[in-house]
Amino acid sequence: MRRRFLPIDAYICLALAFLVSLGTGYAAGHLAETAYERELEEHQPVDGTVGGRADETVFRAQSVDDLLNHDTFTIVSPGIHYKNEGAGFHDGFSFYSVELPNGERIAARINGESVQSTGDSIYSGDSILPIGCVVWDDLTQDEMFLNQIEYRDPLTRRDFFVDMVGNTAVLAEDLALETPKLMTQVLTVFIFYPIFHMIGSKLEIFPPYFVFRNKKQK
């Protein structure tokens, strides 16, 4: 089997472009971190609103009927039970399969920062989930999501989900910080590789990719 290798000039240009990308990636990462911190400040959960912590005045839902008959509510779940009964990714967010006290099951996206534990740790006592509201959405249109979240038990209702995030939603930290950095580095390599090769060709260090010959008219 014949093996094909890149010419030495290609390796040199790639190495130089990669070195430049380290600098642009660092700058992009720093800008992304600043923007992410600002976004976190702007989306801090507010108690009393969807995604915020639920105090004793917030209605404790026991069933689907309770969810549908109240504008806002909370759900009390044993320990971290709400995290262990199935999860899925839908419309850009992670959802959990949450069992209501009466045994019915719904899909919910949850702001983890606003979950309160009544025990000494998250494994003891109850978890008071953030304030939520019903959002109508035909979940049957996302078959992959249903396969994920219903891997143990089916949802009682598939025509809505419970939003316990609200305005607190932000991109996950790894996506918010690493994606701009990686994309900037890739773009830098694509831009600077031909630039370095063109400079090397002008200096007659590298062979040119394209040779233009002037044809003399007879």
Side-chain angles (χ1 to χ4, degrees):
M1 180 184 293
R2 177 191 287 178
R3 294 184 179 181
R4 297 180 180 272
F5 297 94
L6 291 174
I8 188 63
D9 55 294
Y11 285 114
I12 294 174
C13 292
L14 282 173
L16 292 173
F18 175 73
L19 289 176
V20 175
S21 74
L22 294 179
T24 58
Y26 175 81
H30 180 71
L31 292 175
E33 184 176 356
T34 301
Y36 185 69
E37 290 175 354
R38 183 169 59 249
E39 187 175 7
L40 286 178
E41 292 178 359
E42 294 174 353
H43 291 80
Q44 284 294 316
V46 178
D47 294 347
T49 63
V50 173
R53 291 179 298 178
D55 61 21
E56 63 279 357
T57 66
V58 179
F59 178 76
R60 268 60 173 164
Q62 303 293 313
S63 64
V64 167
D65 284 343
D66 286 343
L67 303 180
L68 299 179
N69 289 309
H70 290 81
D71 292 332
T72 58
F73 46 78
T74 186
I75 299 170
V76 179
S77 177
I80 57 171
H81 190 67
Y82 68 95
K83 283 187 174 182
N84 298 328
E85 296 299 303
F89 197 72
H90 171 66
D91 200 23
F93 292 95
S94 295
F95 285 74
Y96 292 105
S97 176
V98 178
E99 184 178 15
L100 298 170
N102 74 337
E104 293 177 310
R105 189 173 295 277
I106 50 88
R109 59 176 191 157
I110 301 169
N111 175 24
E113 294 183 6
S114 296
V115 176
Q116 304 170 81
S117 177
T118 62
D120 296 331
S121 70
I122 60 174
Y123 302 103
S124 63
D126 293 327
S127 291
I128 303 174
L129 303 187
I131 297 174
C133 67
V134 168
V135 176
W136 295 101
D137 186 2
D138 185 4
L139 302 179
T140 62
Q141 298 299 312
D142 193 342
E143 184 176 351
M144 182 177 294
F145 167 67
L146 286 180
N147 289 337
Q148 293 171 343
I149 200 168
E150 293 187 334
Y151 84 95
R152 289 189 60 176
D153 295 296
L155 299 175
T156 302
R157 295 284 293 264
R158 298 175 176 177
D159 55 344
F160 72 83
F161 66 82
V162 170
D163 179 15
M164 291 183 165
V165 173
N167 193 45
T168 66
V170 294
L171 282 175
E173 185 174 1
D174 56 342
L175 290 177
L177 301 184
E178 293 301 323
T179 301
K181 180 179 177 180
L182 178 61
M183 295 303 295
T184 300
Q185 288 180 310
V186 171
L187 184 60
T188 299
V189 171
F190 273 104
I191 292 174
F192 277 86
Y193 174 86
I195 291 176
F196 283 129
H197 199 279
M198 182 182 64
I199 293 174
S201 298
K202 292 289 185 181
L203 296 175
E204 298 183 352
I205 300 174
F206 305 142
Y209 281 143
F210 303 101
V211 178
F212 298 96
R213 297 177 180 176
N214 293 324
K215 294 183 179 179
K216 295 182 179 180
Q217 294 182 351
K218 295 182 179 180

